[in-house]
Amino acid sequence: MVVAGDKRNEDAPTTALPVGAALRQALAARRASLLSRATFVGGVTLTVVLFGVGAWQRRWIADDGLIVLRTVRNLLAGNGPVFNSGERVETNTSAAWTYVVWFFSWLTQARLEYVVLGVALTLSLLAVVFAMLGAARLWGGAAGQLLLPAGALVYIAVPPARDYASSGLENCLVIFWIGVLWWLLMRWSQAEKVTLPALFGLVFWAGLCWVIRPEMTILGGLALLLVFSAPMPESRLRPIVIRALTVVVGGLVPLGYQIWRMGYYGLPVPNTAIAKEAGGAKWQQGFTYLWDLVGPYYLWLPLLLLVAAAVLVIRSSRRAAASASPRDGVTGLRALRQRLHSPTAIVLLMLFSGLLLIAFNLRVGGDFMHGRMLLPQLFILLLPVSVLPLRLPATRDPKAVAGVAVPLVAWFVAMGWALFAANTTANNAGASISDTGIVDERVYYVLNSGHDHPILAEDYLDYPRMRAMIRDIALTPDGGLLLNSPSFMMWYVAPPPLPIPEDGHGHTVYFLNLGMTSMNVPLNVRVIDQEGLAYPLAAHTDRLADGRIGHDKNLYPDWVVVDTGMVDRHPWMPWFLDEKWVTQARTALSCPATQDLLASSRAPLTWDRFRHNIVQSLHFAKYRIDRVPKYEIQRCHLVDPTTPTAPN
């Protein structure tokens, strides 16, 4: 391989060109360079504009996105990172997303919905920019080579990618983190001399994986392992010291937050992981979820085409082949380490991580939102071909022309697919839920709220039962527990016991849709759910074997009547509740292990409580109760108060 400044070429004979020919050659090279740069910049601009316009046309904030904003409201109010004041529950899977939204809300003092909309759109667009910048570094900017937007256009063509660019959920932050990590890794792999600040910046960013989303530790952890195993930069510090510092810098945020999470919340993972049983396995549902995204859009087609085109480009590029080989005369462990410090190793890392993340998603059963949980994986797999290199042939040799024609045809077909996919409706569940439990979440809430762009919390007041909830809270100043009727058509209010405090007993809303309910009521109204995202008692129930994915827990309201201290007798208690079950729930709730679990989030946060939570957090994560009070009494070896006493 000939490199710039190579001493071996100093004595090589040169052929002088006439001045005119040399000038024409220089101008031609200049034009080729400008064309290459203009093509790349134009491609990035086109992709960002199309993504921005498409995301804006489908702008909305999901009900789950409003859940994040409830926690931000409590942070801004000084109640801490909680969903309900006085109960330490982490309802957001991405801790980083919570604090990003909080920071910009505090900074701008703007309405929360507008803040999260602006931040989400900005991060989504920047994610695509960094993906394309990283791919441009991979392929290089040689004269006569055009970098065409490819994988980036494929990603934004998939409708869910545009849906979740503005949904208020953490998808935007996840792909932004992935895009920046990809760009940083490519810079690191191509740097002849890596500086310590660049190295520590890379490992710090990779270490954020745990707080971005827990499963992103697959990608971030492997990236940290690769960088740690590669040669360390030359410095006054010894390599072993630099490696130790990379561990410290990479683990600073995740380890610090993990200690905080275990002590503050009493769990080693977000409460959402407990509520949705992230450690469980539902492979069949996972494959159903995968096909729900891949099948209708024929997503396999552009992936195969772009991979085939990239392979052809690599095979015809001597530079790409040379970059994957170790330096001359280097063998053994040192050669392996040098291989790790190469673009090829980064590409393999990203592809392997993407496949592992797909496997993880298949195992947990996917999700109930069409496409959402597979978007980061798709983004990762498309990173190396975010732009596709096309080297213009210098001659009319048939082989040279064919080497350009095949990738160009593949690119045109992939772009044709993008036009098809961008205008395809894959999940036709509409305003209902499909038999697979998967739904196009944006379309579902658009149809059920009657708003083309449900963004503000008030937009969701037109969702069934929401205005009735506000009315019933206003009509019961003494407080009470709002329970949805068995027909899901109206609210019943279980009243508090006498005497009523001067300022009322307070209201609790028990409803599955946490976002729209919690953002349309004051912070002093407690909002909890049957699934357990914001309610530890429900989160720690056993999973329903055949429940809808993401909603396969359902705590009976009898428990809630007891837990909130409401009147538990007819005629004051709602008619559909059974007094016997409520009595049994009261006994079941007295189980010492259950009380210890509840104390981890409800007891005052003293140093002793913080330390106890850390010690017991793994036990709390595994602890489960039976949602049927009678069986929970048996599990906890208590005495059923409804069982008749046997005669002597």
Side-chain angles (χ1 to χ4, degrees), residues 266-269 273-274 277 539-543 553 593 597 616-625 635:
L267 289 173
V269 291
I274 305 299
E277 296 290 356
H540 288 267
T541 56
D542 288 322
R543 194 177 198 178
K553 291 188 178 182
L597 169 72
Q616 294 294 318
S617 59
L618 294 177
H619 165 71
F620 290 149
K622 298 176 182 177
Y623 183 73
R624 296 294 181 271
I625 66 174
R635 186 197 67 83

Side-chain angles (χ1 to χ4, degrees), residues 438-460:
I438 305 169
V439 68
D440 187 323
E441 192 83 346
R442 186 187 67 85
V443 171
Y444 177 85
Y445 281 118
V446 164
L447 295 176
N448 281 289
S449 70
H451 293 267
D452 290 337
H453 306 288
I455 293 174
L456 302 178
E458 296 93 301
D459 294 336
Y460 281 94

